[in-house]
PDB file of all heavy atoms in Angstrom:
ATOM      1  N   SER W   1       6.625  -3.456 -15.332  1.00 95.00           N
ATOM      2  CA  SER W   1       6.300  -4.098 -14.055  1.00 95.00           C
ATOM      3  C   SER W   1       6.305  -3.138 -12.870  1.00 95.00           C
ATOM      4  O   SER W   1       5.640  -3.392 -11.876  1.00 95.00           O
ATOM      5  CB  SER W   1       7.217  -5.296 -13.786  1.00 95.00           C
ATOM      6  OG  SER W   1       8.547  -4.902 -13.674  1.00 95.00           O
ATOM      7  N   THR W   2       6.993  -2.018 -12.954  1.00 96.00           N
ATOM      8  CA  THR W   2       6.939  -1.033 -11.864  1.00 96.00           C
ATOM      9  C   THR W   2       5.683  -0.170 -11.947  1.00 96.00           C
ATOM     10  O   THR W   2       5.345   0.516 -10.990  1.00 96.00           O
ATOM     11  CB  THR W   2       8.197  -0.146 -11.848  1.00 96.00           C
ATOM     12  OG1 THR W   2       8.391   0.428 -13.144  1.00 96.00           O
ATOM     13  CG2 THR W   2       9.427  -0.930 -11.426  1.00 96.00           C
ATOM     14  N   ALA W   3       5.007  -0.191 -13.064  1.00 96.00           N
ATOM     15  CA  ALA W   3       3.688   0.431 -13.242  1.00 96.00           C
ATOM     16  C   ALA W   3       3.583   1.862 -12.714  1.00 96.00           C
ATOM     17  O   ALA W   3       2.621   2.234 -12.065  1.00 96.00           O
ATOM     18  CB  ALA W   3       2.604  -0.441 -12.618  1.00 96.00           C
ATOM     19  N   GLY W   4       4.582   2.670 -12.993  1.00 97.00           N
ATOM     20  CA  GLY W   4       4.541   4.073 -12.608  1.00 97.00           C
ATOM     21  C   GLY W   4       5.241   4.409 -11.302  1.00 97.00           C
ATOM     22  O   GLY W   4       5.310   5.577 -10.929  1.00 97.00           O
ATOM     23  N   LEU W   5       5.770   3.421 -10.616  1.00 98.00           N
ATOM     24  CA  LEU W   5       6.429   3.687  -9.332  1.00 98.00           C
ATOM     25  C   LEU W   5       7.692   4.531  -9.471  1.00 98.00           C
ATOM     26  O   LEU W   5       8.008   5.326  -8.581  1.00 98.00           O
ATOM     27  CB  LEU W   5       6.769   2.376  -8.610  1.00 98.00           C
ATOM     28  CG  LEU W   5       5.610   1.667  -7.935  1.00 98.00           C
ATOM     29  CD1 LEU W   5       6.044   0.306  -7.407  1.00 98.00           C
ATOM     30  CD2 LEU W   5       5.043   2.522  -6.812  1.00 98.00           C
ATOM     31  N   ILE W   6       8.419   4.364 -10.573  1.00 98.00           N
ATOM     32  CA  ILE W   6       9.633   5.169 -10.765  1.00 98.00           C
ATOM     33  C   ILE W   6       9.257   6.644 -10.791  1.00 98.00           C
ATOM     34  O   ILE W   6       9.804   7.456 -10.044  1.00 98.00           O
ATOM     35  CB  ILE W   6      10.380   4.762 -12.052  1.00 98.00           C
ATOM     36  CG1 ILE W   6      10.860   3.306 -11.964  1.00 98.00           C
ATOM     37  CG2 ILE W   6      11.562   5.691 -12.314  1.00 98.00           C
ATOM     38  CD1 ILE W   6      11.392   2.739 -13.279  1.00 98.00           C
ATOM     39  N   ALA W   7       8.295   7.001 -11.637  1.00 98.00           N
ATOM     40  CA  ALA W   7       7.847   8.396 -11.731  1.00 98.00           C
ATOM     41  C   ALA W   7       7.217   8.848 -10.416  1.00 98.00           C
ATOM     42  O   ALA W   7       7.435   9.979  -9.968  1.00 98.00           O
ATOM     43  CB  ALA W   7       6.872   8.558 -12.886  1.00 98.00           C
ATOM     44  N   SER W   8       6.455   7.978  -9.779  1.00 97.00           N
ATOM     45  CA  SER W   8       5.793   8.330  -8.528  1.00 97.00           C
ATOM     46  C   SER W   8       6.795   8.635  -7.412  1.00 97.00           C
ATOM     47  O   SER W   8       6.613   9.593  -6.661  1.00 97.00           O
ATOM     48  CB  SER W   8       4.856   7.201  -8.096  1.00 97.00           C
ATOM     49  OG  SER W   8       4.208   7.527  -6.895  1.00 97.00           O
ATOM     50  N   LEU W   9       7.833   7.833  -7.310  1.00 98.00           N
ATOM     51  CA  LEU W   9       8.852   8.084  -6.284  1.00 98.00           C
ATOM     52  C   LEU W   9       9.533   9.429  -6.511  1.00 98.00           C
ATOM     53  O   LEU W   9       9.826  10.151  -5.552  1.00 98.00           O
ATOM     54  CB  LEU W   9       9.891   6.961  -6.264  1.00 98.00           C
ATOM     55  CG  LEU W   9       9.406   5.626  -5.706  1.00 98.00           C
ATOM     56  CD1 LEU W   9      10.436   4.525  -5.975  1.00 98.00           C
ATOM     57  CD2 LEU W   9       9.113   5.732  -4.215  1.00 98.00           C
ATOM     58  N   LEU W  10       9.779   9.776  -7.765  1.00 97.00           N
ATOM     59  CA  LEU W  10      10.360  11.094  -8.052  1.00 97.00           C
ATOM     60  C   LEU W  10       9.374  12.208  -7.738  1.00 97.00           C
ATOM     61  O   LEU W  10       9.741  13.233  -7.182  1.00 97.00           O
ATOM     62  CB  LEU W  10      10.776  11.200  -9.515  1.00 97.00           C
ATOM     63  CG  LEU W  10      12.116  10.617  -9.884  1.00 97.00           C
ATOM     64  CD1 LEU W  10      12.418  10.884 -11.348  1.00 97.00           C
ATOM     65  CD2 LEU W  10      13.228  11.148  -9.015  1.00 97.00           C
ATOM     66  N   ALA W  11       8.101  12.001  -8.104  1.00 97.00           N
ATOM     67  CA  ALA W  11       7.088  13.028  -7.888  1.00 97.00           C
ATOM     68  C   ALA W  11       6.862  13.320  -6.409  1.00 97.00           C
ATOM     69  O   ALA W  11       6.377  14.399  -6.064  1.00 97.00           O
ATOM     70  CB  ALA W  11       5.783  12.618  -8.553  1.00 97.00           C
ATOM     71  N   ASP W  12       7.231  12.394  -5.533  1.00 97.00           N
ATOM     72  CA  ASP W  12       7.126  12.617  -4.088  1.00 97.00           C
ATOM     73  C   ASP W  12       8.110  13.670  -3.585  1.00 97.00           C
ATOM     74  O   ASP W  12       7.940  14.215  -2.498  1.00 97.00           O
ATOM     75  CB  ASP W  12       7.373  11.316  -3.318  1.00 97.00           C
ATOM     76  CG  ASP W  12       6.210  10.342  -3.396  1.00 97.00           C
ATOM     77  OD1 ASP W  12       5.092  10.756  -3.768  1.00 97.00           O
ATOM     78  OD2 ASP W  12       6.429   9.153  -3.078  1.00 97.00           O
ATOM     79  N   VAL W  13       9.139  13.961  -4.371  1.00 97.00           N
ATOM     80  CA  VAL W  13      10.205  14.872  -3.945  1.00 97.00           C
ATOM     81  C   VAL W  13       9.862  16.301  -4.358  1.00 97.00           C
ATOM     82  O   VAL W  13       9.607  16.553  -5.537  1.00 97.00           O
ATOM     83  CB  VAL W  13      11.561  14.455  -4.571  1.00 97.00           C
ATOM     84  CG1 VAL W  13      12.667  15.426  -4.170  1.00 97.00           C
ATOM     85  CG2 VAL W  13      11.917  13.030  -4.175  1.00 97.00           C
ATOM     86  N   PRO W  14       9.866  17.236  -3.400  1.00 96.00           N
ATOM     87  CA  PRO W  14       9.639  18.637  -3.766  1.00 96.00           C
ATOM     88  C   PRO W  14      10.669  19.094  -4.803  1.00 96.00           C
ATOM     89  O   PRO W  14      11.849  18.768  -4.708  1.00 96.00           O
ATOM     90  CB  PRO W  14       9.842  19.393  -2.441  1.00 96.00           C
ATOM     91  CG  PRO W  14       9.568  18.371  -1.383  1.00 96.00           C
ATOM     92  CD  PRO W  14      10.058  17.065  -1.953  1.00 96.00           C
ATOM     93  N   GLY W  15      10.203  19.807  -5.822  1.00 94.00           N
ATOM     94  CA  GLY W  15      11.084  20.294  -6.874  1.00 94.00           C
ATOM     95  C   GLY W  15      11.236  19.337  -8.041  1.00 94.00           C
ATOM     96  O   GLY W  15      11.913  19.662  -9.022  1.00 94.00           O
ATOM     97  N   SER W  16      10.594  18.182  -7.971  1.00 96.00           N
ATOM     98  CA  SER W  16      10.740  17.194  -9.040  1.00 96.00           C
ATOM     99  C   SER W  16      10.128  17.655 -10.353  1.00 96.00           C
ATOM    100  O   SER W  16      10.506  17.168 -11.423  1.00 96.00           O
ATOM    101  CB  SER W  16      10.134  15.855  -8.631  1.00 96.00           C
ATOM    102  OG  SER W  16       8.747  16.004  -8.368  1.00 96.00           O
ATOM    103  N   GLY W  17       9.208  18.612 -10.293  1.00 95.00           N
ATOM    104  CA  GLY W  17       8.581  19.108 -11.510  1.00 95.00           C
ATOM    105  C   GLY W  17       9.559  19.733 -12.485  1.00 95.00           C
ATOM    106  O   GLY W  17       9.297  19.784 -13.682  1.00 95.00           O
ATOM    107  N   SER W  18      10.706  20.160 -11.987  1.00 95.00           N
ATOM    108  CA  SER W  18      11.702  20.760 -12.869  1.00 95.00           C
ATOM    109  C   SER W  18      12.487  19.727 -13.664  1.00 95.00           C
ATOM    110  O   SER W  18      13.175  20.072 -14.621  1.00 95.00           O
ATOM    111  CB  SER W  18      12.675  21.626 -12.060  1.00 95.00           C
ATOM    112  OG  SER W  18      13.476  20.798 -11.224  1.00 95.00           O
ATOM    113  N   CYS W  19      12.376  18.464 -13.282  1.00 96.00           N
ATOM    114  CA  CYS W  19      13.198  17.452 -13.960  1.00 96.00           C
ATOM    115  C   CYS W  19      12.430  16.214 -14.421  1.00 96.00           C
ATOM    116  O   CYS W  19      13.013  15.357 -15.082  1.00 96.00           O
ATOM    117  CB  CYS W  19      14.368  17.047 -13.070  1.00 96.00           C
ATOM    118  SG  CYS W  19      13.900  16.333 -11.502  1.00 96.00           S
ATOM    119  N   LEU W  20      11.159  16.108 -14.119  1.00 97.00           N
ATOM    120  CA  LEU W  20      10.363  14.964 -14.557  1.00 97.00           C
ATOM    121  C   LEU W  20       9.475  15.412 -15.712  1.00 97.00           C
ATOM    122  O   LEU W  20       8.621  16.281 -15.553  1.00 97.00           O
ATOM    123  CB  LEU W  20       9.522  14.429 -13.401  1.00 97.00           C
ATOM    124  CG  LEU W  20       8.675  13.184 -13.676  1.00 97.00           C
ATOM    125  CD1 LEU W  20       9.539  12.023 -14.161  1.00 97.00           C
ATOM    126  CD2 LEU W  20       7.924  12.782 -12.411  1.00 97.00           C
ATOM    127  N   ASP W  21       9.707  14.831 -16.895  1.00 97.00           N
ATOM    128  CA  ASP W  21       8.992  15.258 -18.096  1.00 97.00           C
ATOM    129  C   ASP W  21       7.729  14.440 -18.308  1.00 97.00           C
ATOM    130  O   ASP W  21       6.624  14.946 -18.137  1.00 97.00           O
ATOM    131  CB  ASP W  21       9.916  15.159 -19.315  1.00 97.00           C
ATOM    132  CG  ASP W  21       9.255  15.633 -20.594  1.00 97.00           C
ATOM    133  OD1 ASP W  21       8.520  16.641 -20.553  1.00 97.00           O
ATOM    134  OD2 ASP W  21       9.469  15.002 -21.641  1.00 97.00           O
ATOM    135  N   ILE W  22       7.863  13.185 -18.696  1.00 96.00           N
ATOM    136  CA  ILE W  22       6.716  12.328 -18.981  1.00 96.00           C
ATOM    137  C   ILE W  22       6.959  10.931 -18.434  1.00 96.00           C
ATOM    138  O   ILE W  22       8.104  10.536 -18.195  1.00 96.00           O
ATOM    139  CB  ILE W  22       6.401  12.232 -20.492  1.00 96.00           C
ATOM    140  CG1 ILE W  22       7.611  11.683 -21.259  1.00 96.00           C
ATOM    141  CG2 ILE W  22       5.945  13.558 -21.057  1.00 96.00           C
ATOM    142  CD1 ILE W  22       7.346  11.391 -22.711  1.00 96.00           C
ATOM    143  N   GLY W  23       5.864  10.197 -18.244  1.00 96.00           N
ATOM    144  CA  GLY W  23       5.976   8.811 -17.817  1.00 96.00           C
ATOM    145  C   GLY W  23       4.935   7.963 -18.514  1.00 96.00           C
ATOM    146  O   GLY W  23       3.791   8.388 -18.686  1.00 96.00           O
ATOM    147  N   PHE W  24       5.352   6.793 -18.937  1.00 95.00           N
ATOM    148  CA  PHE W  24       4.462   5.848 -19.588  1.00 95.00           C
ATOM    149  C   PHE W  24       4.386   4.578 -18.773  1.00 95.00           C
ATOM    150  O   PHE W  24       5.406   4.086 -18.281  1.00 95.00           O
ATOM    151  CB  PHE W  24       4.973   5.464 -20.986  1.00 95.00           C
ATOM    152  CG  PHE W  24       4.799   6.539 -21.997  1.00 95.00           C
ATOM    153  CD1 PHE W  24       5.810   7.446 -22.230  1.00 95.00           C
ATOM    154  CD2 PHE W  24       3.616   6.658 -22.709  1.00 95.00           C
ATOM    155  CE1 PHE W  24       5.656   8.449 -23.155  1.00 95.00           C
ATOM    156  CE2 PHE W  24       3.452   7.663 -23.641  1.00 95.00           C
ATOM    157  CZ  PHE W  24       4.479   8.560 -23.867  1.00 95.00           C
ATOM    158  N   ILE W  25       3.178   4.048 -18.642  1.00 96.00           N
ATOM    159  CA  ILE W  25       2.990   2.703 -18.105  1.00 96.00           C
ATOM    160  C   ILE W  25       2.538   1.868 -19.289  1.00 96.00           C
ATOM    161  O   ILE W  25       1.460   2.101 -19.846  1.00 96.00           O
ATOM    162  CB  ILE W  25       1.938   2.672 -16.978  1.00 96.00           C
ATOM    163  CG1 ILE W  25       2.384   3.554 -15.829  1.00 96.00           C
ATOM    164  CG2 ILE W  25       1.707   1.232 -16.518  1.00 96.00           C
ATOM    165  CD1 ILE W  25       1.320   3.779 -14.775  1.00 96.00           C
ATOM    166  N   VAL W  26       3.382   0.950 -19.693  1.00 95.00           N
ATOM    167  CA  VAL W  26       3.094   0.112 -20.852  1.00 95.00           C
ATOM    168  C   VAL W  26       3.220  -1.342 -20.428  1.00 95.00           C
ATOM    169  O   VAL W  26       4.238  -1.976 -20.588  1.00 95.00           O
ATOM    170  CB  VAL W  26       4.012   0.444 -22.050  1.00 95.00           C
ATOM    171  CG1 VAL W  26       3.591   1.737 -22.706  1.00 95.00           C
ATOM    172  CG2 VAL W  26       5.461   0.533 -21.625  1.00 95.00           C
ATOM    173  N   TYR W  27       2.152  -1.833 -19.861  1.00 91.00           N
ATOM    174  CA  TYR W  27       2.107  -3.193 -19.320  1.00 91.00           C
ATOM    175  C   TYR W  27       1.970  -4.239 -20.416  1.00 91.00           C
ATOM    176  O   TYR W  27       2.624  -5.264 -20.393  1.00 91.00           O
ATOM    177  CB  TYR W  27       0.918  -3.283 -18.358  1.00 91.00           C
ATOM    178  CG  TYR W  27       1.240  -3.881 -17.026  1.00 91.00           C
ATOM    179  CD1 TYR W  27       2.130  -3.261 -16.151  1.00 91.00           C
ATOM    180  CD2 TYR W  27       0.634  -5.058 -16.606  1.00 91.00           C
ATOM    181  CE1 TYR W  27       2.408  -3.804 -14.922  1.00 91.00           C
ATOM    182  CE2 TYR W  27       0.911  -5.610 -15.371  1.00 91.00           C
ATOM    183  CZ  TYR W  27       1.798  -4.976 -14.531  1.00 91.00           C
ATOM    184  OH  TYR W  27       2.075  -5.517 -13.311  1.00 91.00           O
ATOM    185  N   SER W  28       1.132  -3.988 -21.383  1.00 93.00           N
ATOM    186  CA  SER W  28       0.822  -4.993 -22.401  1.00 93.00           C
ATOM    187  C   SER W  28       1.778  -4.911 -23.587  1.00 93.00           C
ATOM    188  O   SER W  28       2.336  -3.850 -23.874  1.00 93.00           O
ATOM    189  CB  SER W  28      -0.609  -4.807 -22.905  1.00 93.00           C
ATOM    190  OG  SER W  28      -0.678  -3.643 -23.709  1.00 93.00           O
ATOM    191  N   PRO W  29       1.932  -6.025 -24.302  1.00 94.00           N
ATOM    192  CA  PRO W  29       2.725  -5.987 -25.534  1.00 94.00           C
ATOM    193  C   PRO W  29       2.162  -4.976 -26.542  1.00 94.00           C
ATOM    194  O   PRO W  29       2.923  -4.283 -27.217  1.00 94.00           O
ATOM    195  CB  PRO W  29       2.615  -7.419 -26.080  1.00 94.00           C
ATOM    196  CG  PRO W  29       2.362  -8.266 -24.876  1.00 94.00           C
ATOM    197  CD  PRO W  29       1.515  -7.414 -23.972  1.00 94.00           C
ATOM    198  N   THR W  30       0.840  -4.874 -26.626  1.00 94.00           N
ATOM    199  CA  THR W  30       0.214  -3.925 -27.536  1.00 94.00           C
ATOM    200  C   THR W  30       0.603  -2.490 -27.183  1.00 94.00           C
ATOM    201  O   THR W  30       0.946  -1.699 -28.056  1.00 94.00           O
ATOM    202  CB  THR W  30      -1.319  -4.077 -27.514  1.00 94.00           C
ATOM    203  OG1 THR W  30      -1.634  -5.424 -27.836  1.00 94.00           O
ATOM    204  CG2 THR W  30      -1.994  -3.138 -28.493  1.00 94.00           C
TER     205      THR W  30
END
């Protein structure tokens, strides 16, 4: 339901590339 906002909020911070690995948006059951 956050649809990438968690990763996006981190990516807004300078230096986040050193600690953010991957992000998935998985909205559907499939």
Side-chain angles (χ1 to χ4, degrees):
S1 63
T2 53
L5 283 173
I6 297 170
S8 180
L9 289 169
L10 277 184
D12 286 343
V13 178
S16 61
S18 68
C19 61
L20 183 57
D21 182 40
I22 59 173
F24 286 92
I25 299 170
V26 285
Y27 229 64
S28 72
T30 304

